[in-house]
Amino acid sequence: MKLKGLCCIVFVYTSFLSGQNFNFPLDTPLYVNCNFGHLRSGHFHFGLDFGTQGQEEKPVLAVADGTLSRIVIRRSGYGKALYVNHANQTTSVYGHCHHFSKIIEQYIDSVLNLSHTSEFDWNVEEQHIYVSAGEIIAYSGNTGHSTGPHLHFEIRDHGRTMDPSPYIGLTPCPPHNVRP
């Protein structure tokens, strides 16, 4: 009985925070490599790192309907990353991707042909590339500053990074290096 009450509280808390229900960004068994708020050298980890069983190219799914707002391709940082704006004023971030969906890759090719560069940080707002909840938008990888295949996932609310756990139906966990 107590567990049912707790589940209801978590569900209400999740719905209250996100304003909409988000899906999980991977169609793989859940394995969190690094929690939100984990202290790293000189900074905190502002997302969740989901393990992909040591493999790259696992499908990455849009957690909710939205509009692609930014594409980043760098040798450092999140490597290949996507930013999707949602109706509730949040943005989901997907980092360390191997590559993106076919339509996004075609858009990138058209931009790269004009800019003559292999790295860029591009705001996509003028193109209105829509994504649907559950749509494959990328494939997990090991790009940028990464120590192995995984997906780095964030939620930003009005630009402020939030713990993504409650948005996707997970109970927030304390960072690995913090004692309760």
Side-chain angles (χ1 to χ4, degrees):
M1 282 300 211
K2 289 182 182 179
L3 182 59
K4 285 184 182 179
L6 179 61
C7 290
C8 289
I9 291 170
V10 170
F11 175 73
V12 170
Y13 176 66
T14 301
S15 297
F16 173 74
L17 278 178
S18 68
Q20 71 185 56
N21 293 324
F22 285 1
N23 296 318
F24 192 69
L26 291 168
D27 188 18
T28 61
L30 172 63
Y31 185 78
V32 178
N33 288 339
C34 189
N35 289 326
F36 179 85
H38 179 86
L39 181 60
R40 299 225 168 140
S41 58
H43 70 283
F44 290 101
H45 185 249
F46 288 122
L48 293 174
D49 284 350
F50 294 112
T52 56
Q53 302 160 323
Q55 299 175 5
E56 295 185 39
E57 300 190 57
K58 298 281 186 176
V60 174
L61 313 173
V63 294
D65 294 346
T67 306
L68 187 64
S69 61
R70 185 175 171 201
I71 302 170
V72 177
I73 298 177
R74 291 192 182 134
R75 290 181 199 91
S76 61
Y78 295 153
K80 293 184 177 184
L82 294 178
Y83 295 67
V84 177
N85 290 341
H86 304 287
N88 65 352
Q89 304 302 310
T90 59
T91 301
S92 54
V93 180
Y94 311 82
H96 305 300
C97 298
H98 183 274
H99 65 282
F100 306 119
S101 69
K102 187 175 181 178
I103 191 165
I104 296 171
E105 289 285 345
Q106 288 172 342
Y107 175 74
I108 292 169
D109 287 344
S110 69
V111 172
L112 288 179
N113 287 337
L114 295 174
S115 63
H116 306 291
T117 182
S118 61
E119 286 193 333
F120 71 95
D121 186 339
W122 194 261
N123 290 319
V124 187
E125 291 146 12
E126 74 281 354
Q127 289 295 338
H128 299 293
I129 299 173
Y130 298 101
V131 299
S132 299
E135 178 183 341
I136 296 173
I137 57 173
Y139 295 86
S140 66
N142 190 25
T143 61
H145 187 83
S146 173
T147 57
H150 72 284
L151 174 67
H152 174 85
F153 177 72
E154 291 181 13
I155 293 289
R156 297 180 182 182
D157 187 352
H158 294 88
R160 200 172 102 224
T161 307
M162 308 296 289
D163 183 350
S165 300
Y167 287 83
I168 57 174
L170 299 176
T171 302
C173 296
H176 296 305
N177 56 345
V178 175
R179 291 184 183 171

